[in-house]
Amino acid sequence: TLAALARAEVGDALAALSGVVGLHVGAQSNLLAAQVSLDCAATHASHVHRLDCAQDALATVTAANASLGTGLTFTMGAGSLMF
């Protein structure tokens, strides 16, 4: 399911962040909560409850993303080929 695929992506993010002790601890907590919500979204019998869990997961992943700060911004120009 999509929830299971999302859980795998969250797991990858957690693995990357946990590679350094104390790195973005708040984001890691949010991602752990998102995993729980995604488990619920993937397995609960009620479609209403699955939707609620999926929305909770999205909110916590969004919060984790926001806590990581701003990303890198690159301005790409025309470029040239150099030999």
Side-chain angles (χ1 to χ4, degrees):
T1 67
L2 290 177
L5 293 173
R7 191 183 190 293
E9 294 297 328
V10 168
D12 289 346
L14 276 168
L17 290 175
S18 65
V20 177
V21 175
L23 181 63
H24 297 292
V25 176
Q28 289 186 52
S29 295
N30 284 335
L31 292 173
L32 287 169
Q35 279 188 327
V36 172
S37 294
L38 288 167
D39 286 340
C40 169
T43 60
H44 202 279
S46 165
H47 71 281
V48 173
H49 198 69
R50 287 193 308 270
L51 177 61
D52 288 341
C53 291
Q55 289 171 333
D56 289 345
L58 178 59
T60 54
V61 168
T62 300
N65 186 42
S67 73
L68 294 174
T70 58
L72 298 174
T73 303
F74 295 98
T75 302
M76 302 299 285
S80 61
L81 186 60
M82 299 177 71
F83 294 95

